[in-house]
Amino acid sequence: MSLKLFLIRHGQTLWNEEGRYQGNKDIDLTEEGVNQAKLTAEYLSDVNFSYIYSSPLRRAMDTANIINKINKQKDLKVIIRENLKEMNFGKWEGMKFEKLGKEYHDELQNWLRDPYNYCPEGGESFKQVKKRATEEIDNIIKESEDGSNVAVVTHGGIILSILVYWLQIPLPRWRSIVLNQGAINIAVIDRGFPYISTVNFTGHLSPSYDGREDRIIKTYSRFRSDDNEMKKI
């Protein structure tokens, strides 16, 4: 059995723009986010999707519905799956990155050192997220027909956990993959084995390279203690 999975991150929200942790908070797309969703839909307009799955959060559902409107299979219904929700950041949700780095420095460093086991108060660990995300993606694969194209519209943390699982990335390097809003990730699943052809593709969102992803890299780099990773290299 073989199928193609398109793992798509939702478009931009106001909290993305403001640099806040969103997690399970249900935040709408900005005008830019809607435009990103439209550009994603146009880029994928020649793909004949058999199924479109989405997180129940509005930013993902709205992105999925925009993609569905341009899909060649006009009668598809977006399938909602609870386990495609973003990682729950507990008390951190709604906080700006800079404030979190100052007021919860120790907790943040614990999370960056060991996200697999540590979780924000009231939130989830990366271990819990990876478990529900990979189980859900395995269910989606089992439900899909041979040769089908499947869109999964979800969140950065969910896509990241699936890529970490497929690629068997060491957990100290889990943040090494950057996933932008509106990014497309593509994998062919053949007899249970993932062939990943595209990671964090954003060429459809801008006519030329603009280095937009550098902002989030700089943010996480400022938060990470100098000795967190270098000792493990």
Side-chain angles (χ1 to χ4, degrees), residues 64-81:
N65 285 326
I66 290 170
I67 293 171
N68 195 26
K69 286 180 181 178
I70 299 181
N71 182 37
K72 290 183 176 181
Q73 290 281 61
K74 300 299 183 182
D75 58 345
L76 284 186
K77 179 180 179 181
V78 175
I79 304 168
I80 304 300
R81 291 291 167 86

Side-chain angles (χ1 to χ4, degrees), residues 35-59:
N35 186 55
Q36 289 172 339
K38 289 178 179 177
L39 290 172
T40 301
E42 290 169 5
Y43 182 78
L44 298 174
S45 60
D46 286 338
V47 180
N48 191 0
F49 287 115
S50 300
Y51 307 93
I52 299 177
Y53 291 85
S54 175
S55 155
L57 299 178
R58 287 196 304 271
R59 57 190 184 271

